Amino acid sequence: MRKPSRPRPAAGVSVRQAVPLGLVLLALCGCRREAREVRLDPPVAAALAGVAAMPNGIGGRPPEVYFVLGKPYRGNAYQLSEGKRLYAWFGCPECHRDGEGSGRGPSLLDGWWNHGPGIETIYLSIRDGRPGGMPPYRTRLTHEQLWQLAGYVQVLGAYSASAAAPGRSDQVQSRPAENRAPARFAPLEP
Amino acid sequence: MTHDRRDTGLGDLALEAALRRVWAAAHGLWGLLATVDHKAIGRRYIATAFGFLILGGLLALAMRWQLSHPEARLLDPDRYNQVFTMHGSNMMFLFAVPVMEAMGVYFVPLMVGTRNIAFPRLNAFSYWVYLAGGLLLWGAFLLEMGPDVGWFAYVPLSGPQYSAGKRADIWAQMITFTEISALAVAVGLVVTVFKQRAPGMTLDRMPLFVWAMLVTAFVVILAMPAVVTASTALILDRLVGTHFFNPAEGGDVLLWQHLFWFFGHPEVYIIFIPAVGMVSTIIATFCRRPVFGYLAMVLALVGIGLLAFGLWVHHMFTTGLPRLGESFFTASSMAIAVPSGLQIFCWLATLWGARPRLAVPMLYVLAFLFTFVLGGMTGVMVASVPLDTQLHDSYFVVAHFHYVLIGGAVFPLLGAIHYWFPKLTGRMMGARPGRWECLLVFAGFNLTFFPMHILGLWGMPRRVYTYQPELPWAGLNLFASLSAVLLAAGFLLFFWNAWRSARHGAPAGENPWGAPTLEWATASPPPPWNFTRIPVVGSASPLWDSMGELTVAEGLRTDRRELLVTSVMDATPEARESSPQDSIWPLLAAIATSVMLVWSIFTPWAVVWGSIPIAVTLIGWFWPRGTPEDES
């Protein structure tokens, strides 16, 4: 009762079973959401490169290890905040601003994707660049960093806020923070 | 009011039976959850706080293990951040402050000779809220969600940009829990001390421990709002994107430090002032004479309480303040040495030629005197700006504040537990293990923390998870870690002793130490109504001056919970006042409050929807039930 997110016991499960079960579930999702892996095992880091892409670079399947890790780049607060830092450090705001886009790059938070909304597609956009003027980052970032960026960019454009999303930055604000249900209130693409 | 029953002329046995009928808690689980007896709640509070002390101690041992040799691998940096933050927050907010207030909850009503604390239901509520806050913090730690920003959670590190996830929110909300519980207790204590003293206990006959708790309660009431403001602003910044601490939008980063330390420095005195009261109580009893300079002691207590609010900036000397500010706060920081020194001299004067009985509580007091003076002197050192600039955030500071907090507060507390153990359990605490335990704790403590002064002077920063073999710190660190095992052994012995004595200790009579204050004028442990007849006090040491016979007051009703309200200055009786019955609603209200607070980490709407159950429980709490207590 102190954790609002504890699941309610399903019919047929007694309270006595449900409490430890709930605690275990809570522990599992809690762990995933807040755990911080500062340094990946080298084989895991290498395996992150293995995305199966369609020939046109749109759509595909993230590598197996992404699922084994529990999709950390989409639901883990630390990974998302790392993505946010990389976004600022590697010059994405030059063209995409704080997500709202500019003359040089499209908006990333209007919910409209030129190349598809999947995380692997976003990853490919960043890794390989896109013909309309999006530069490739494959030589500048590790695969882990590319995934962190992809996860963050996907959260930027999500329709509902997640509790793992980063908060506002210590800067002049141009839009509500990522954890403030962004897309629903975002201006439409100009 | 002609046919209410009074205790006038009733025999002792008949009176006790009548009092048991109205004061005793129900049997079984319901009685445990619904009781509003300050003794039951105080005991619970103390036990829980010591439980948190054990947990925090285990974290300390983990840190010492990690630092015992260079490049150790027990804790990774992220875990280490959580561990030192948990250790600090746990010890300050879940152990030290609550345990001191809990001692007040248990002993102040007994020492002023009344039957229950003022606002007993609020008191019960405060315990449940405190427990929930502790569970929140430790539950989060088990889920790797433990805060990792240090116990004072400076922005911008703890702000939305640099602290991902909910870790810092957990910290800020745990603060809210402990704020609520501390404020609730403080209000109850102030009213108890001011309005419920036994007839004749004028302000200048009040035991020094009661004075100490009174000053502490006021410090709590004045200091906590600052940190309420700060932690709420932090949560708002993080959750809804306000800009209290965002300089780019007109906020201010240093604002956090000001608000936090305006609370944080008095916090140290919230922990220390009760310890002063304990030391004075123990010294008086074992020297068999009142503490020398009662007036000076009281003024020193009040002086510390006031000065405590004037020196918070000495935590911020390295933030680049104007010169004048630095000089002013250096001066005020050194000024606090005056009342503290005054107390030390009063104690020394009491000890002088008194041939004190060296029972275990007294040994702890001696350990306190030595250690606290050392900690005070390093305090004067870091109060000067040039030295502080060098030592800031180094192990020197770690050594300094452990000397003041453990030496200044935990030693007296352990002594006080030994001293009052008979009142808590009805049994004496083992003296032989007690002496060993005191020796181990004292030696282990000094051997662990003294080397840290030197490590700090050699440049070892605090909050590092490891260090390189080339640095000259390994030897002393290993020494400190080994000594920490000694210290832990001392604490282990203390807990074992307490555990065993609570079961098999020698039964204690009413007043095993021959002490002068009122809590010893009733059974050990006291019955639910504390005093069968309310004592009347004619001096500052009533049990010494009354020669075995204590005057008592009569005329209280026996068919409802009733106690005596007296005037603030002279404690002349003013009215008979009812004292609330047991109730489950404080627990329910605490649950509703906890749900709202935890939920509000995730969405601001929790404040709106969560306040509905709180309102419901409060209505249930205050709903008139037509009991005799509801009259008048």
Side-chain angles (χ1 to χ4, degrees), chain B residues 220-521:
Chain B
V220 167
I221 292 172
L222 294 175
M224 291 283 175
V227 76
V228 178
T229 314
S231 67
T232 309
L234 178 62
I235 292 198
L236 284 174
D237 266 18
R238 294 178 52 86
L239 186 64
V240 292
T242 54
H243 298 284
F244 291 102
F245 305 119
N246 176 9
E249 292 276 13
D252 189 348
V253 176
L254 269 193
L255 175 66
W256 170 268
Q257 296 195 22
H258 281 296
L259 285 174
F260 186 87
W261 288 117
F262 187 78
F263 145 84
H265 196 82
E267 158 111 332
V268 178
Y269 293 97
I270 293 171
I271 297 167
F272 173 64
I273 297 176
V276 170
M278 293 167 182
V279 170
S280 305
T281 313
I282 293 172
I283 287 192
T285 298
F286 291 98
C287 292
R288 276 181 239 90
R289 52 160 86 156
V291 170
F292 177 82
Y294 179 90
L295 182 66
M297 285 299 281
V298 171
L299 287 179
L301 280 173
V302 178
I304 291 181
L306 288 175
L307 279 178
F309 288 95
L311 30 82
W312 78 95
V313 173
H314 71 208
H315 295 269
M316 302 163 55
F317 280 157
T318 54
T319 54
L321 295 163
R323 278 285 166 74
L324 185 66
E326 289 188 339
S327 315
F328 176 83
F329 283 99
T330 296
S332 64
S333 308
M334 295 194 172
I336 199 126
V338 175
S340 312
L342 194 66
Q343 290 172 334
I344 301 271
F345 283 112
C346 284
W347 290 323
L348 290 181
T350 317
L351 287 167
W352 194 268
R355 269 196 231 122
R357 207 161 95 218
L358 289 182
V360 183
M362 198 59 207
L363 293 179
Y364 273 112
V365 166
L366 296 181
F368 153 82
L369 282 176
F370 176 81
T371 317
F372 179 68
V373 168
L374 240 166
M377 299 213 286
T378 52
V380 176
M381 287 167 76
V382 287
S384 76
V385 178
L387 207 54
D388 185 69
T389 315
Q390 170 68 23
L391 296 173
H392 189 79
D393 269 350
S394 76
Y395 258 78
F396 191 88
V397 175
V398 176
H400 159 69
F401 68 69
H402 280 93
Y403 262 80
V404 216
L405 289 170
I406 298 190
V410 177
F411 286 179
L413 175 72
L414 297 182
I417 294 286
H418 269 271
Y419 176 69
W420 276 315
F421 202 73
K423 270 302 143 199
L424 287 161
T425 63
R427 293 172 188 279
M428 302 296 288
M429 205 158 151
R432 218 143 78 89
R435 274 194 283 278
W436 276 107
E437 142 213 320
C438 184
L439 181 73
L440 276 175
V441 168
F442 177 68
F445 169 80
N446 278 290
L447 293 175
T448 307
F449 287 96
F450 194 82
M452 293 186 192
H453 290 118
I454 304 169
L455 279 172
L457 290 170
W458 287 353
M460 179 165 166
R462 69 194 280 202
R463 297 177 170 172
V464 286
Y465 85 105
T466 193
Y467 48 93
Q468 281 63 50
E470 296 79 34
L471 293 163
W473 304 332
L476 277 184
N477 266 310
L478 181 61
F479 181 78
S481 295
L482 290 175
S483 312
V485 178
L486 213 61
L487 180 57
F491 271 104
L492 200 65
L493 193 58
F494 170 81
F495 285 113
W496 175 80
N497 191 6
W499 181 262
R500 204 202 44 130
S501 307
R503 257 132 258 268
H504 311 294
E510 276 192 3
N511 190 358
W513 307 113
T517 37
L518 282 184
E519 79 271 27
W520 303 102

Side-chain angles (χ1 to χ4, degrees), chain A:
Chain A
M1 76 227 153
R2 297 202 165 80
K3 288 272 160 193
S5 53
R6 181 191 289 176
R8 292 170 142 265
V13 185
S14 81
V15 177
R16 206 175 281 178
Q17 290 167 319
V19 169
L21 204 76
L23 281 177
V24 168
L25 279 178
L26 191 71
L28 286 178
C29 54
C31 280
R32 293 263 154 88
R33 222 178 57 193
E34 290 278 337
R36 291 185 189 184
E37 188 119 35
V38 251
R39 199 177 297 150
L40 276 183
D41 276 343
V44 175
L48 278 173
V51 55
M54 301 292 283
N56 61 354
I58 295 174
R61 196 180 147 71
E64 208 50 50
V65 13
Y66 172 70
F67 299 101
V68 174
L69 290 173
K71 303 190 193 169
Y73 303 110
R74 188 60 178 76
N76 180 289
Y78 169 71
Q79 305 288 358
L80 288 174
S81 76
E82 287 298 293
K84 179 168 175 169
R85 304 173 91 178
L86 294 169
Y87 186 88
W89 289 350
F90 281 82
C92 317
E94 277 299 308
C95 304
H96 296 287
R97 292 287 155 79
D98 288 342
E100 70 270 29
S102 72
R104 302 176 58 199
S107 163
L108 299 175
L109 47 64
D110 57 1
W112 174 261
W113 300 94
N114 293 337
H115 306 276
I119 190 165
E120 69 292 332
T121 310
I122 298 177
Y123 169 84
L124 291 171
S125 294
I126 305 170
R127 190 185 75 180
D128 302 336
R130 294 292 180 193
M134 168 73 194
Y137 279 85
R138 139 177 16 91
T139 53
R140 302 199 180 92
L141 294 162
T142 66
H143 292 289
E144 188 193 9
Q145 289 170 324
L146 287 170
W147 279 111
Q148 289 171 333
L149 258 172
Y152 171 67
V153 169
Q154 202 186 29
V155 161
L156 258 187
Y159 276 99
S160 58
S162 95
R168 65 145 181 81
S169 309
D170 288 335
Q171 296 161 1
V172 175
Q173 309 291 298
S174 55
R175 60 163 169 80
E178 291 84 338
N179 62 355
R180 302 292 307 137
R184 213 178 298 167
F185 305 118
L188 290 174
E189 205 175 7

Side-chain angles (χ1 to χ4, degrees), chain B residues 28 51 56 90 108 110 126 198 221 277 316 327 378 466 522 528 557 560 584:
Chain B
N90 172 79
V108 164
L110 286 168
S126 106
I221 292 172
M316 302 163 55
S327 315
T378 52
T466 193
T522 179
R557 272 171 68 172
R560 64 169 194 174
I584 195 72

